[in-house]
Amino acid sequence: MTANEANMPFIRTLASSDRKTRTKALESLRTFISAPATATQLQPLELLKLWKGLYYSMYMCDRPIPQQNLSAELAGLMAVLPDAAVGPWLAAFWEIIGVEWPRIDVLRLEKFMLLVRRVLGAALSWVRDALPDSKDEESEEVRKQNKKSRERIDILLENLASWPFETQDNLSRVPVGLRLHVLDIWVDEVEKLGLADAQTTGEAGRQFLDRLGLLVEAQTRSTCKPVRLRAKGTLADDRLPWNADENAGGEPGRSTKNDSGDKDSWDGFDD
């Protein structure tokens, strides 16, 4: 047992059948990870144990309203972490949810689908909050904000490329059902946060969205036909700016047609 594990007795009580006990354990966890020195020193195995406990905390939570509140609370834990700890924290979440996804019974699936939506939304919000809102690049403060924005974008895109949108088509690493669910919700969460509006997010926001689109585009080459079709469908969503550009008669950022006649294929990005 590591020193950090010895300081995490609340891991066991996160899965308690008693709601008050679970709530107290969650408060202890928030306090524990809010200390930068603690959060950045947590090892991958320790993070997996934490998320295992959080998974069972959701598993034991009954009734819709408490489930909605708990999903928001679990997703919100990321907000107290230093930036350096966010990538490992998210990786542990995706690994645990990926392992457990095929085992979740139909009666509990909906609340875990909500949890995935809330965590993805929190991760996108974490990036959006760091996007620069000024074009005065000569300002030292703006340069720092730009650096922070680039670092957060890189952390999140690397995480997504390793897990829900992993590009090696490793279906044993990320179950098909989980991939399909994330493909179903990513545009909703992007729109909700205003990331699809270039006037709001500026050039940095558009570049982030384009890079995110590339990860989704990689799913159109999956060996799994439902994943290919779902990815292609989401990229053609009218809420995405490249489709708005095309509909307005401008230069399309992407094309959903393919002259080769392959209905499952996708042309990707235009030069």
Side-chain angles (χ1 to χ4, degrees):
M1 178 180 294
T2 67
N4 278 331
E5 284 186 81
N7 292 326
M8 297 190 295
F10 46 79
I11 289 180
R12 296 183 182 87
T13 52
L14 284 169
S16 171
S17 59
D18 180 67
R19 181 183 60 81
K20 291 183 178 180
T21 301
R22 294 198 306 270
T23 299
K24 185 177 180 180
L26 188 59
E27 292 173 353
S28 298
L29 171 59
R30 182 184 296 275
T31 302
F32 180 76
I33 64 174
S34 64
T38 298
T40 54
Q41 290 178 7
L42 287 172
Q43 299 302 305
L45 181 58
E46 293 169 338
L47 289 169
L48 289 173
K49 289 181 178 180
L50 283 175
W51 267 113
K52 189 76 168 183
L54 293 172
Y55 169 86
Y56 279 109
S57 180
M58 176 60 75
Y59 188 93
M60 298 298 295
C61 185
D62 298 322
R63 298 187 303 277
I65 298 302
Q67 290 167 7
Q68 293 171 24
N69 293 337
L70 183 57
S71 293
E73 290 174 359
L74 298 189
L77 289 172
M78 196 178 73
V80 305
L81 293 169
D83 284 6
V86 168
W89 177 260
L90 288 173
F93 165 74
W94 290 117
E95 183 168 351
I96 291 297
I97 205 71
V99 168
E100 298 295 339
W101 194 266
R103 308 171 187 169
I104 301 173
D105 61 80
V106 65
L107 297 177
R108 291 186 171 90
L109 184 58
E110 187 172 345
K111 63 182 176 182
F112 284 105
M113 292 173 71
L114 177 62
L115 175 61
V116 169
R117 180 184 286 273
R118 293 289 178 263
V119 171
L120 179 63
L124 292 169
S125 179
W126 179 71
V127 166
R128 183 207 58 187
D129 291 345
L131 292 177
D133 56 7
S134 172
K135 297 182 179 179
D136 181 15
E137 296 185 1
E138 298 303 317
S139 165
E140 179 64 24
E141 183 177 348
V142 171
R143 284 196 291 269
K144 289 181 179 179
Q145 185 68 16
N146 286 339
K147 182 175 182 293
K148 181 177 182 178
S149 173
R150 289 192 298 269
E151 289 174 347
R152 286 193 175 189
I153 287 173
D154 288 343
I155 288 171
L156 180 56
L157 291 176
E158 180 180 350
N159 175 264
L160 294 176
S162 298
W163 291 101
F165 292 149
E166 68 90 22
T167 56
Q168 302 303 311
D169 201 30
N170 185 346
L171 299 180
S172 63
R173 180 179 175 88
V174 183
V176 171
L178 181 56
R179 288 174 190 257
L180 292 174
H181 178 51
V182 179
L183 286 169
D184 279 340
I185 65 176
W186 78 274
V187 178
D188 293 341
E189 297 307 307
V190 160
E191 181 192 35
K192 186 186 301 181
L193 293 166
L195 287 168
D197 184 358
Q199 292 184 344
T200 301
T201 62
E203 183 63 23
R206 178 60 187 261
Q207 289 178 2
F208 166 64
L209 193 57
D210 283 345
R211 291 176 63 188
L212 179 56
L214 281 171
L215 295 181
V216 179
E217 189 271 339
Q219 307 305 303
T220 67
R221 298 186 292 276
S222 172
T223 57
C224 178
K225 185 174 181 178
V227 172
R228 293 199 304 270
L229 295 177
R230 196 73 56 87
K232 183 177 179 180
T234 65
L235 287 169
D237 195 299
D238 288 339
R239 293 172 291 176
L240 296 172
W242 46 79
N243 296 315
D245 292 345
E246 186 172 1
N247 293 337
E251 287 293 325
R254 301 170 174 79
S255 171
T256 57
K257 299 178 181 178
N258 188 298
D259 294 335
S260 67
D262 182 356
K263 295 180 180 180
D264 289 341
S265 61
W266 188 71
D267 284 346
F269 289 78
D270 294 335
D271 293 330

